[in-house]
Amino acid sequence: MRFSILSALLLVPMAVNSVHAADEAKWQSLLPAIDPASQRVAGEWKKGADALTVNAATGARLALPVLPAGEYDFRVAFTRKTGIHSIAMVFVHGGKQATLEVDAWGSHLSGIQNIGGKNLRENPTRRENMTLKNGQRYTLLLEVRKDLVRALLDDKVIATHRTDGSDLSLLQEWSLPSRDSLGIGAWESETTFHAIDVRAVGDSKLTIAAAASSPATPSTRPPMKTPATTTASKPATGTPAAASSAAGKRVLIVIANHHFFYREYGDPRQELERAGVKVTVAAGRVAPCRPHEGSGQGANGGVVTPDIAIANVKADDYDAILFSGGWGASMYQFAFNGRYNDASYNGDRATKTQVNRVINDFVAQDKYVAALCNGTSVLAWARVNGKSPLAGKRVCAPQREAPPGIYEGRPAQPSCRWHAEKNGAVMSPPGSIGRPGAADDVSVDGKILTGEDDISAREMGRKLVEVLSSR
């Protein structure tokens, strides 16, 4: 089966526009349009005659073939068979994604996350003692209105939040390839989804893509608004206009040894190699580097063995450097004085010192220094002549949460933007550059390039080709 977002367009007119008044509208089942092979992000999903099942896996989630616009209702009927963790519904409101979760954080909590950068453990929608019984069927309903999100479990209200969507954000663990689509998830819990339904409210519209048969091999990730995952060692055919002048240039891509974000490595690399740029990969150690689950790594797991250790990098050998994102990039933060709950993110002093040396060398040689998503935190905490290279620079950085840990002496989990803001960057408003979901935010300020997140990864590759072609 192959999924095409243009294959079907469904407009559902409604006569009512309140939280309670969508009764006359018809629910539209998404099950017929679901193709697990192409829409899974993490976990093993299987579709039967009348249900969808997922195995117990960390962050198991599926992008749904629907792009809501305006007001709508979103409903799932499910049975959790094993596990003690949350069932999640990823929703969209005001151009932002968030989740409704039940039985979350191993503490039987429910609520909406994130709100104002705070997860459901900390925000006002937190509700305690919300335990799901394995083997029992439940129905979750989300009502999304222009100024309100309301959630019901078996017709009982469990969360209400007044919002236009501007304060919502999505935990990285639930991220989807498209920021415009709905999704479902189950955290380390074998679960059956019996029904997945949507309906529009008032004059709002729902775009639903139908699955269509094809002899082609299906993708391993949802081809929604972002391009299909690419294998970095196999550049795409075709040559962009700038390729002739960028050909022969050399770019170093730095990834973390643990938890780099695959698309933020693979997509820029493909664009660079398409233009004839030679790419070298560096990491703290020359050892297999493992990506985040669900970061576009494909069926083979996306393990990358770097070409060189950062300690052996010489800026003389390259024309630009790019730090890919993912929480693991935190291991390279030279001047950050906190610590992370995941010990691998803390790195070691020797490696951080070498990273800082390399950044200083690139800056001293007036070469391009770039970063994507949480990779911007590496530049934020670097020190060149005693200050951050991002100080006073226009910077794009993600709203997604940074890894949990100790920040300024206390437990916290701020937005990834906090790192750049803390170090004097001039922050570009989220989603203010490019076309959201396509060639999204990449800022070029002198020799500093920063990209908001994985949606910006392919554009980052193109921008590097562009600036290298002008030298």
Side-chain angles (χ1 to χ4, degrees), residues 9-15 24-28 71 198-208:
L9 182 64
L10 178 64
L11 306 183
V12 185
M14 312 285 276
E24 296 180 5
K26 291 183 179 180
W27 285 101
Q28 302 294 321
E71 300 184 331
V198 292
R199 62 183 175 187
V201 172
D203 295 328
S204 299
K205 300 176 180 179
L206 294 170
T207 304
I208 299 177

Side-chain angles (χ1 to χ4, degrees), residues 295-471:
S295 63
Q297 69 272 25
N300 64 359
V303 175
V304 175
T305 299
D307 304 300
I308 189 172
I310 198 75
N312 296 324
V313 168
K314 297 180 180 179
D316 300 9
D317 297 335
Y318 308 98
D319 299 287
I321 185 171
L322 168 63
F323 288 90
S324 295
W327 280 358
S330 304
M331 69 180 286
Y332 300 133
Q333 296 166 347
F334 175 71
F336 180 62
N337 61 2
R339 68 177 186 275
Y340 297 106
N341 295 348
D342 187 320
S344 68
Y345 301 162
N346 293 317
D348 61 81
R349 195 63 193 166
T351 299
K352 292 179 179 182
T353 300
Q354 289 297 333
V355 168
N356 202 60
R357 171 192 65 79
V358 168
I359 292 172
N360 274 263
D361 290 348
F362 272 83
V363 171
Q365 295 182 26
D366 197 31
K367 294 179 175 179
Y368 289 100
V369 178
L372 273 166
C373 201
N374 193 45
T376 58
S377 70
V378 180
L379 301 188
W381 291 108
R383 291 295 179 261
V384 178
N385 297 323
K387 68 176 185 178
S388 168
L390 297 189
K393 294 289 187 179
R394 174 69 64 176
V395 169
C396 291
Q399 296 186 86
R400 295 174 178 174
E401 287 184 320
I406 303 298
Y407 292 77
E408 299 186 309
R410 62 184 182 87
Q413 191 176 16
S415 159
C416 288
R417 292 170 67 89
W418 177 86
H419 296 286
E421 291 170 336
K422 187 70 176 177
N423 285 280
V426 179
M427 303 307 297
S428 176
S432 63
I433 303 174
R435 295 170 294 140
D440 205 3
D441 295 35
V442 174
S443 173
V444 181
D445 191 339
K447 295 296 174 65
I448 299 292
L449 285 75
T450 51
E452 188 170 337
D453 52 26
D454 58 298
I455 306 296
S456 313
R458 191 166 295 278
E459 181 67 3
M460 174 61 80
R462 295 178 184 133
K463 282 292 184 184
L464 280 169
V465 169
E466 179 183 318
V467 297
L468 289 173
S469 298
S470 65
R471 285 178 68 88

Side-chain angles (χ1 to χ4, degrees), residues 176-196:
L176 301 178
S178 169
R179 293 184 297 182
D180 301 318
S181 70
L182 304 183
I184 54 173
W187 194 273
E188 296 181 354
S189 301
E190 181 184 351
T191 304
T192 296
F193 290 89
H194 309 283
I196 306 169

